[in-house]
Amino acid sequence: MRAEQYRRVFRNRSFRRFWLGFAFSSLGDAMTRVALTWYVFSVTESSRALGLLVLCYTGPILIGGLVAGSLLDRFDRRRVMAADSVVRGLAVFSIPLLHALGRLELWQVYAVAAIYGLLMMISLAGGPAIVPSLVAHEDLVTVNALELLGFTVGGIIGPPAAGLLLARVGAPNVLLVDAASYALFALALTGVRYRPEHTPRARPGGETYRLADAFRLMLGNPILRATTLMFMAFNVGNGLLAVWLPIFSARTLHGGAGLYGALLGAIAVGELASSLAAGSMTFPLPLGTLICLSQVL
């Protein structure tokens, strides 16, 4: 039954184009993050420089995440996501281009990371928002699982692949894969068609949500408030890991970019395993307690 659902979903041309573009773009993003991290570390050998790179990746999300929801609500989501892919693709492509011209400097790497962080939530929020408009209601569970799979597989394959390529073509040139993935995703989105009953209609300006509405919703809902604070704390720890892992790989384990990529791939494998377990197992504890226990572990 499940296999037939997957076959039916992939016969949907619009969803197939969207999923393949999204999965390839996720793979490219994972490779870029490894390449830029290793480039900054190899050039500076500084934990402070790595910390600044992580800040550039994550800090702009505070602004971009709020703006992304407004853009996706106000305009055609296909066009918003396509424009995002074009802008980020050009930003990523500037790194190998500047490197080939002998003009690449560290601040330019930070700028590209900041552009990525500023626009990241457009694709992460836009994907789940656009998928229900492409498939029938009874296929939503299947396509949601496939969307998560595409994102996770990119995290598993991308870092080890980047680690192998780093030694052969150099960190800046690894970003060519990501630039190509953005171009292909933008092209794929031009061929995506909504189901007739989901064709978006222009909304009057007064019907769109404002940023203040998002703040009021979060502050007034204890579950949203608690989970937001909890995952903010989690992401602080994740940021520390992002700075520590390449230094640990090189100085303690005496490995290179290949080992760093393999360790990131192992993390992604663990994330996939836990996702599968969470979806197939039941536990006699409240969900909030389980989330807290998982964070402690």
Side-chain angles (χ1 to χ4, degrees):
M1 181 66 177
R2 178 63 68 179
E4 175 55 33
Q5 287 176 318
Y6 284 123
R7 283 193 293 268
R8 183 173 68 246
V9 164
F10 275 113
R11 284 195 292 267
N12 182 322
R13 183 173 179 271
S14 288
F15 176 75
R16 186 172 65 248
R17 290 174 66 99
F18 172 82
W19 187 82
L20 290 173
F22 179 81
F24 188 27
S25 182
S26 297
L27 171 68
D29 285 345
M31 295 179 69
T32 287
R33 191 145 191 168
V34 173
L36 291 186
T37 299
W38 195 258
Y39 177 79
V40 170
F41 176 68
S42 62
V43 169
T44 66
E45 294 191 358
S46 166
S47 59
R48 180 175 297 178
L50 284 175
L52 181 56
L53 178 67
V54 172
L55 178 63
C56 289
Y57 258 118
T58 58
I61 296 176
L62 295 173
I63 299 173
L66 296 172
V67 175
S70 178
L71 290 174
L72 292 167
D73 182 61
R74 192 179 186 91
F75 302 105
D76 187 329
R77 289 160 184 167
R78 295 169 301 184
R79 295 179 180 177
V80 174
M81 294 179 69
D84 162 61
S85 292
V86 171
V87 172
R88 285 200 286 171
L90 290 174
V92 166
F93 180 70
S94 70
I95 297 295
L97 178 61
L98 289 168
H99 179 259
L101 296 174
R103 304 289 296 273
L104 182 60
E105 298 182 18
L106 202 57
W107 71 265
Q108 294 159 339
V109 174
Y110 293 144
V112 168
I115 292 172
Y116 174 88
L118 183 66
L119 300 178
M120 181 182 71
M121 288 306 299
I122 290 178
S123 61
L124 288 186
I130 200 175
V131 160
S133 301
L134 307 180
V135 300
H137 179 75
E138 58 268 22
D139 292 326
L140 285 179
V141 173
T142 303
V143 298
N144 285 335
L146 283 171
E147 186 183 9
L148 177 61
L149 178 65
F151 183 78
T152 305
V153 168
I156 293 174
I157 298 175
L164 293 174
L165 286 175
L166 282 171
R168 290 167 172 77
V169 302
N173 290 326
V174 172
L175 273 67
L176 289 172
V177 177
D178 198 15
S181 76
Y182 279 123
L184 288 175
F185 192 26
L187 183 62
L189 286 166
T190 62
V192 167
R193 297 291 180 266
Y194 295 121
R195 291 172 63 86
E197 64 270 27
H198 291 289
T199 301
R201 297 178 176 86
R203 296 184 179 185
E207 294 186 12
T208 58
Y209 292 108
R210 297 170 299 175
L211 298 183
D213 297 323
F215 279 114
R216 279 195 294 269
L217 177 62
M218 184 185 70
L219 295 176
N221 188 308
I223 296 177
L224 284 178
R225 187 171 63 247
T227 53
T228 298
L229 292 173
M230 183 165 52
F231 281 100
M232 284 175 65
F234 171 81
N235 286 328
V236 169
N238 213 32
L240 295 173
L241 176 66
V243 174
W244 170 80
L245 191 60
I247 298 173
F248 179 73
S249 302
R251 295 180 181 173
T252 304
L253 300 181
H254 305 291
L259 175 61
Y260 172 55
L263 290 174
L264 288 174
I267 291 174
V269 169
E271 291 172 346
L272 177 60
S274 65
S275 297
L276 294 174
S280 60
M281 299 174 64
T282 57
F283 301 91
L285 293 173
L287 183 58
T289 302
L290 289 172
I291 293 174
C292 292
L293 286 174
S294 70
Q295 299 232 39
V296 170
L297 290 173

